[in-house]
Every structure is written in structure tokens, then in C-alpha cells.
Amino acid sequence: MTGKPSTRANADSAPDVPRDAATADVLVVGAGPTGLLLAGDLAARGLSVTVVERRRRSASNMTRAFAVHARTLEVLDARGLADELLKTGSRLTGLRLFGNLSLDLSRLRSRFPFVLITPQYEIEHLLERRALSAGVHFRHGTELTGLHQSADEVTAEVQDADGTRTTLSARYAVGTDGVRSAVREALGLPFPGKSVIRRSIILADVRLTEEPAALLTANGVGDAFAFIAPFGDGWYRVMGWNRNHQADDTDPVELDELREIVRLALGSDHGMHDARWISRFHSDERQVPAYRTGRVFLAGDAAHVHSPAGGQGMNTGLQDAANLSWKLATVLRGHAADPEALLDSYHAERHPVGTKVLRSSGALVRLAMARTLRQRAVRTAAARLLSTARPAGDKAMGMISGIGIAYAAPRGSHPLTGKRAPDLGLVEGRLQEVLRDGEFVVVTPADMPTPVSPVPLVHTHWTDDRSTVLLVRPDGHVAWASDRPDPAALRAALTR
């Protein structure tokens, strides 16, 4: 950052915590992107974190997620990670779907007006390095076998690959262990929903002899649907589905089968060859009814799963983690005026987002799989509306990219409350840079004194003569705003 240094208000450090591997402030089950971001955030705030992961620690080039949207890049930027990730993939500023639906991502009001195509393992490597440097304790090759909680702690029973059983304890636990979540099962929570595509979506990373005309190509013709996106390093992610060939997920799959699907849907297989991996899967739409049960939380695919259309799955999980991490840190550091209400707000804010993602991704996949004349007419009308009506297109891009997601605000609040704060240019630097401290940020006119705050706070200033006062949460959403400098009202907002 450049310019005037920011001012911290009452930013006392977290209390010393034990680093015993068997005890922690937070136990995270699952070391995918969601769990890694959450663990790194908490450890960076001085808390002790243990991550349990069933998989052994090893490098892998297998990945299902590949799209990183604008809001997720902002979340990573607020941790100083976005620029490094941008070096690993290719940027798409436009999406062309169903042949005639075009979305211009360059219109997104973000530092990142594009979608980054990069393998999930690149994100995991980046987040794992951050978590390790912050002091997170990892237990790979370890499976959760039981989970219990009392009024004061969570106790987890785990088993290592060699059969050794251990009991771990923590003040809170978070299940980020995917669609087959052992944490969700231990809580006895249902996972209601249905299969949107019951069988045999084929995924592969391949090389192509002929480059597609559009960077991102997706289309459905008749009974086939296919999708091609470049990673930027000579490899392409290809997805295909054929209504007339429905195999089980466990059935063998060959590249010739995917070639045929892509030719049916796109007119050419573009000389597809040399698959580095290929797999079948099916697509469900499911959401757990409660993201919080006592001292245990669910995030990412453990809480919600949906179709791959729109590439929103991993992004939604990472934003779950960004929402939950600062709330857990605030409570564990003793800065929450009402700890239970703050922790409950995780479900209140993120469950509706998960529901919207299920609906939007489901709508996209159903449009892609349109079969009857009526369904195709609806798809054509929807494509025309989103392509030509700018407000409708912008709303769709805001949902898919994540920058349009806002949280409910109390009645009578300032219109900005609950919305994502843009990357404001401040005297102290960009807002995303200031947020790297992981604390609340208040933006005020230059002559307003630093407020006395019960929570760690970074005081920043407008570069012009604006009188608006903004209080921005650590996750980049506006907690409170006023169009006039009112120190008393700001102090009251800080105690809520």
C-alpha cells in the first residue's frame, strides 16, 4: 500500500493459544479449497487450527472445478493471493452459451472483469501454502469416525491410515468434507434434493489439435451437450453428456466416447487427444437445511451441491469460508457483543445464497439440456433477453460472478448495508489491500477522529471530500453506512 498509513483502533492481539496437535480452537474436516481458505484465515488471526483430511498428501493433476469468478478473485485479493493465481490460467471476458447467448464479463464492476480458467489444484496449492505458513496443523490420511459436542467443545474421533485411533478436541468444528460429508452424517442432518443429471457426465482434461473459435464453447444439440474451456497451458477442460448413453459413474470411460458427444453437440471434436485424466460423474442438487448445529458448521459441498453449469460450486464454497472465518475469529478472540447471534448469521446469510446458486445453476443446465420444441423456444427467448436487455444480463452476470450477492439488512438501513463493497481507492491504498489485515475497516472523511472500537478496526480515509462513512466487514461486505459523519452513530454500530 502507498500513502498515509492506516490507523488501528483497539486492535489487540489474540490471546495465546495452545499448539497441541490434539486440541485446537477450530477443527476443520476436509482440505479442499473451502477448508484451506477457512483454516488459513483463522490461523492468520492467531488461532490454533487442525485440519483433518481423508486423502493422503500428494500432488495431483485431477480436478473438477476450474472456473474462478470475479468475487472469488476479490476474496483472494483481500488475502494477497489473487495476483499469484492469475499467473496460472487464462482469462475469459466473454461467455457464449447455447449458440446465441453472449455475456460480456468486461462490464463487471470489479478489478477482475473476467472468469479465470485454472485447475482447482492450483488454488489448493496456493491456499495450502498460506495455511502452512500461518501455522495450521494438518493430518492427512486421517478419517473422521465420530463427532460429539458439549456446551463447551467438540470432540472428534479419527482414524489414521495405519488404523491408529485418536480423539481430537476443539472449541468449534467445521465440515468442509464434500458431498459425502462425514461431519454432516455424524450430525444426522438430511441432504434433501435430487439428481439434475442422473448419470454419466464425462469430464476430461485433453489436448486439442484445432483451437475452438471461442475461448469458452458450450452448446446442446438434440440429445447431446458439450463444453470446452482452455486452461491456458495447452490443456483444455472438456465436459460432455449424451442423453442416449447413460452409464453408471463406475463404468469404464474412453476418450472415443467423449469425442462422439463433442462432435454431436459442437460439430467437431477439435482433434481431441492425450487425455491426462478422464472420469464419469452425475450431478445432484442438494442443500442441508441447517449450516450450523451447535458448535459445528458446514460449508462448501458439505452444505450444498449443484450442477456444474456456471462454474459456481467451488466459488460458493470459498465465499462460505470467507463469511464464516471472520465470525469465528471475532467470537474466539472475545470481540463479539453477541457471539451466538453472530455465529447464527452465517446460516442466515449463506443458506439463501446456496439456494440461489442451486436455482441459477439448475436453470442453466436445464436450458442446456432442452429437448422439446417448447423447451428450446424458452431457451431461445431467455438467451435473447439476457443478450439484449442490459439490466437482465448484468443481473445474471452479478449472480454467476458473485459480485451481485448481497446480504439482508435491517429495515431502515442505508442502501449500501449488506452489499459487497467495491475495491475503493483510499488514501491508504485499495480497499482489498487494507482488508488484508483481516479486520473491520472504517472509511471516513479526513477530519473524523479514529473511533473507540470494541473490535479491531483499521481506520482509512477517502481521497476526496466525500462525507459518507462506511464500516466494512472483514469479508468485504458493508456492515453499516451513513451519508454524514456521525461518530456517535458509528460507535453504536460497532457495539452491535
Side-chain angles (χ1 to χ4, degrees):
M1 292 183 288
T2 59
K4 179 177 172 182
S6 57
T7 304
R8 281 181 169 273
N10 306 87
D12 53 326
S13 60
D16 291 337
V17 291
R19 297 292 175 178
D20 182 348
T23 63
D25 287 314
V26 181
L27 173 67
V28 178
V29 182
T34 301
L36 291 171
L37 182 72
L38 177 73
D41 281 2
L42 294 169
R45 303 278 69 78
L47 301 168
S48 60
V49 184
T50 296
V51 175
V52 170
E53 169 55 52
R54 180 175 53 83
R55 299 170 297 174
R56 293 179 181 272
R57 190 169 189 266
S58 61
S60 172
N61 66 355
M62 295 184 65
T63 176
R64 287 187 178 176
F66 60 91
V68 186
H69 285 295
R71 181 58 187 147
T72 300
L73 288 167
E74 291 179 349
V75 167
L76 295 174
D77 191 23
R79 289 151 179 81
L81 302 173
D83 289 342
E84 185 175 351
L85 187 65
L86 289 175
K87 299 174 184 177
T88 68
S90 59
R91 308 177 191 190
L92 304 185
T93 58
L95 303 180
R96 183 171 293 278
L97 307 173
F98 321 137
N100 58 348
L101 169 56
S102 179
L103 296 177
D104 181 8
L105 298 179
S106 66
R107 297 209 311 261
L108 290 173
R109 296 182 178 180
S110 170
R111 185 175 177 235
F112 309 102
F114 49 82
V115 57
L116 178 70
I117 304 299
T118 192
Q120 178 178 320
Y121 58 76
E122 295 285 4
I123 301 162
E124 290 183 351
H125 293 167
L126 188 66
L127 293 174
E128 184 182 49
R129 287 197 300 271
R130 173 180 180 250
L132 286 168
S133 66
V136 172
H137 177 71
F138 283 88
R139 294 186 57 146
H140 286 90
T142 303
E143 186 173 358
L144 181 78
T145 59
L147 191 70
H148 312 278
Q149 58 178 313
S150 67
D152 302 314
E153 69 174 6
V154 179
T155 302
E157 298 161 2
V158 300
Q159 180 174 304
D160 295 336
D162 62 4
T164 303
R165 293 179 176 271
T166 311
T167 298
L168 307 176
S169 62
R171 294 174 67 184
Y172 294 95
V174 186
T176 59
D177 50 341
V179 64
R180 297 178 180 85
S181 171
V183 174
R184 189 184 64 241
E185 184 176 337
L187 292 172
L189 291 173
F191 203 33
K194 60 185 178 181
S195 293
V196 60
I197 303 175
R198 289 182 293 175
R199 290 185 182 183
S200 207
I201 303 172
I202 300 175
L203 280 184
D205 287 353
V206 304
R207 293 193 182 276
L208 302 179
T209 302
E210 305 166 7
E211 185 175 314
L215 282 179
L216 186 148
T217 301
N219 199 25
V221 175
D223 292 321
F225 172 81
F227 172 98
I228 298 177
F231 285 124
D233 59 358
W235 291 99
Y236 289 78
R237 163 58 49 82
V238 180
M239 180 176 72
W241 180 76
N242 186 341
R243 192 188 309 274
N244 296 321
H245 187 178
Q246 297 290 291
D248 290 331
D249 291 355
T250 55
D251 285 359
V253 57
E254 300 293 338
L255 190 57
D256 282 345
E257 183 180 348
L258 183 58
R259 285 194 186 102
E260 181 183 357
I261 295 171
V262 174
R263 283 196 295 267
L264 287 170
L266 303 179
S268 170
D269 66 10
H270 299 282
M272 190 184 309
H273 63 281
D274 290 342
R276 63 180 171 184
W277 74 276
I278 187 167
S279 177
R280 294 187 196 275
F281 76 103
H282 69 279
S283 178
D284 283 354
E285 292 177 341
R286 300 184 185 278
Q287 186 177 30
V288 73
Y291 283 19
R292 180 192 182 193
T293 302
R295 290 182 169 268
V296 184
F297 302 82
L298 295 171
D301 286 355
H304 47 78
V305 64
H306 38 80
S307 89
Q312 298 172 81
M314 178 182 64
N315 293 271
T316 305
L318 288 168
Q319 291 160 40
D320 287 345
N323 183 287
L324 179 58
S325 66
W326 75 265
K327 295 173 180 178
L328 278 172
T330 300
V331 169
L332 285 164
R333 297 165 74 191
H335 297 309
D338 188 340
E340 292 304 306
L342 183 59
L343 295 178
D344 282 344
S345 73
Y346 167 64
H347 169 89
E349 292 183 343
R350 294 304 299 173
H351 190 275
V353 173
T355 301
K356 289 178 181 178
V357 172
L358 258 70
R359 290 173 180 167
S360 63
S361 63
L364 284 172
V365 79
R366 286 171 175 82
L367 288 173
M369 305 300 183
R371 186 178 190 182
T372 67
L373 288 175
R374 182 177 181 277
Q375 290 168 340
R376 291 175 187 172
V378 170
R379 182 172 73 184
T380 299
R384 184 180 299 113
L385 173 66
L386 294 175
S387 296
T388 60
R390 185 160 184 163
D394 288 348
K395 184 174 181 179
M397 288 191 296
M399 180 64 207
I400 293 172
S401 69
I403 70 169
I405 290 174
Y407 301 132
R411 182 174 296 179
S413 298
H414 190 280
L416 293 176
T417 304
K419 294 184 177 179
R420 150 205 168 263
D423 192 17
L424 302 166
L426 306 170
V427 170
E428 294 76 13
R430 295 186 297 109
L431 177 62
Q432 298 297 342
E433 294 174 319
V434 179
L435 283 168
R436 291 173 188 174
D437 285 334
E439 311 293 4
F440 279 82
V441 173
V442 63
V443 187
T444 74
D447 58 352
M448 186 169 173
T450 300
V452 176
S453 173
V455 300
L457 185 72
V458 181
H459 186 188
T460 63
H461 305 84
W462 298 111
T463 57
D464 53 27
D465 59 358
R466 270 180 282 186
S467 60
T468 301
V469 178
L470 287 183
L471 179 62
V472 182
R473 307 182 336 182
D475 64 355
H477 284 259
V478 177
W480 177 86
S482 174
D483 288 328
R484 59 189 180 88
D486 186 341
L490 175 58
R491 283 196 297 273
L494 287 164
T495 60
R496 285 201 289 268

